Amino acid sequence: MGEQDILWGISPIGWRNDDIPEIGAENTLQHLLSDIVVAGFEGTEVGGFFPEPKVLNKELKLRNLKIAGRWFSSFIIRDGIEEAKRAFHQHCQYLYEVHADVAVVSEQTYSIQGTDKNVFSEKPHFTDAEWTQLCEGLNELGKIAEQYGLKLVYHHHMGTGVQTLPEIDRLMENTDANYVHLLYDTGHIYVSDEDCQQLLNKHIDRIKHVHFKDVRKKIMEECKKEGKSFMNSFLSGIFTVPGDGCIDFTVLYQKLLDHQYKGWIIVEAEQDPSIAHPLEYALIARKYINEKLLNNS
């Protein structure tokens, strides 16, 4: 086991952002995918602007790229399990048709990530009954994912009810490890808890998908002080690619290798593409991976 079991991808979020569709709107699918090839990555995740499977598969095949997964906003608490299951079946069908590996799920009931609320102090919290409903619902969705040959990976996320380590602990403790896996996102847990090692150490057995996102600590502190929203924080430059922020990925990567992690590591950084040139930052990440991770592990 080792590095040959790891696939390196980069998220489309550096080129175009689903939360703010107007930024990066000039970046076409073909442009994005070709940049990914130039930067030396093996694949990407599906963005909100991606076309239907047949069209996407042709573009991927031309460039020898793969799809890792796609984000799914679940509303298990707000809309109930049955409604979430219906939407998730469609989601998984798309992923099956583009030969993906994971379905990225994040519960968006009460989420403030798309609002102007202070993401550092106004995050939502679930009641005990809501926690039970969420965990039962995720088990159901996990079983659906399996039917399509996919793994459900839960994305802990700033501004949602599953953000902090204790909340992730509760989710992991109350869901079925056979069906509900974890997406480990370094940037989100660092901004939330100012530590990303503890989560990795504690839940490494459940981690089946990884986002390597770096954080600019000085900007994080400014955003906290000013009480910025999630979107205004990333537009201010709170996130960046590995090698350009304060997180030491060498330790995290070695831990994944030591634990024989298999699957995708996706470089992801919500940034404004008019400020952070997408290809330039993809190449910064690739250089860091090649020089600091692949040569030192």
Side-chain angles (χ1 to χ4, degrees):
M1 300 298 159
E3 291 179 345
Q4 69 274 20
D5 297 305
I6 292 172
L7 292 162
W8 289 94
I10 189 163
S11 166
I13 215 162
W15 284 260
R16 282 172 72 164
N17 195 293
D18 291 347
D19 291 328
I20 313 176
E22 59 273 18
I23 67 170
E26 69 283 358
N27 291 321
T28 63
L29 176 75
Q30 290 83 352
H31 174 141
L32 155 76
L33 295 178
S34 294
D35 275 1
I36 289 171
V37 173
V38 171
F41 289 96
E42 295 165 88
T44 188
E45 292 182 348
V46 174
F49 61 95
F50 278 34
E52 48 106 358
K54 196 176 168 188
V55 176
L56 179 57
N57 285 339
K58 181 174 182 176
E59 297 294 339
L60 292 167
K61 194 176 177 186
L62 287 169
R63 296 166 179 83
N64 194 27
L65 291 173
K66 297 185 179 78
I67 290 294
R70 185 186 197 182
W71 171 280
F72 177 77
S73 294
S74 67
F75 292 94
I76 293 164
I77 293 167
R78 188 191 74 186
D79 299 338
I81 295 169
E82 290 309 312
E83 189 61 40
K85 280 165 70 174
R86 267 195 294 276
F88 194 60
H89 267 292
Q90 289 180 330
H91 183 82
C92 290
Q93 181 61 39
Y94 182 100
L95 287 174
Y96 173 77
E97 288 178 29
V98 298
H99 317 293
D101 298 304
V102 298
V104 176
V105 175
S106 179
E107 179 64 20
Q108 291 295 296
T109 301
Y110 315 132
S111 168
I112 62 162
Q113 71 187 62
T115 73
D116 57 5
K117 288 187 173 180
N118 179 347
V119 75
F120 303 98
S121 66
E122 295 184 77
K123 76 172 287 308
H125 300 274
F126 300 144
T127 64
D128 289 347
E130 287 170 338
W131 269 107
T132 301
Q133 188 178 346
L134 174 61
C135 293
E136 286 174 359
L138 288 172
N139 287 339
E140 295 282 315
L141 296 190
K143 288 172 188 171
I144 290 169
E146 288 278 315
Q147 292 168 23
Y148 293 87
L150 299 160
K151 282 186 163 59
L152 182 157
V153 291
Y154 192 89
H155 193 337
H156 55 95
H157 202 287
M158 288 296 297
T160 73
V162 187
Q163 171 190 305
T164 65
L165 184 57
E167 289 164 344
I168 298 164
D169 289 346
R170 185 166 184 176
L171 190 85
M172 293 295 96
E173 282 159 21
N174 293 286
T175 51
D176 187 332
N178 294 308
Y179 299 112
V180 179
H181 313 282
L182 187 63
L183 185 164
Y184 170 58
D185 187 301
T186 55
H188 280 275
I189 196 62
Y190 188 85
V191 173
S192 174
D193 294 18
E194 293 201 28
D195 173 76
C196 43
Q197 187 79 50
Q198 211 182 337
L199 170 56
L200 180 62
N201 294 345
K202 200 165 186 183
H203 294 298
I204 195 154
D205 289 331
R206 298 287 289 274
I207 293 168
K208 301 293 180 199
H209 197 54
V210 174
H211 283 176
F212 270 7
K213 187 203 278 33
D214 213 339
V215 174
R216 295 184 178 102
K217 195 168 186 182
K218 189 169 177 288
I219 293 175
M220 179 181 83
E221 284 160 1
E222 285 166 12
C223 290
K224 272 187 180 174
K225 206 161 99 180
E226 292 169 35
K228 287 193 172 177
S229 68
F230 178 72
M231 288 198 289
N232 281 333
S233 294
F234 86 67
L235 288 173
S236 300
I238 193 170
F239 295 126
T240 186
V241 296
D244 189 46
C246 65
I247 296 173
D248 179 4
F249 290 88
T250 59
V251 185
L252 308 177
Y253 182 63
Q254 194 55 52
K255 178 81 180 174
L256 289 165
L257 282 184
D258 292 346
H259 204 77
Q260 299 177 346
Y261 172 76
K262 288 185 193 178
W264 287 92
I265 298 178
I266 303 285
V267 167
E268 188 187 60
E270 288 97 326
Q271 298 196 84
D272 183 343
S274 66
I275 297 167
H277 189 289
L279 179 56
E280 182 185 349
Y281 276 82
L283 289 165
I284 290 168
R286 188 71 246 187
K287 186 170 187 277
Y288 177 83
I289 291 162
N290 291 348
E291 292 178 3
K292 297 285 196 267
L293 304 185
L294 299 183
N295 287 345
N296 291 349
S297 54

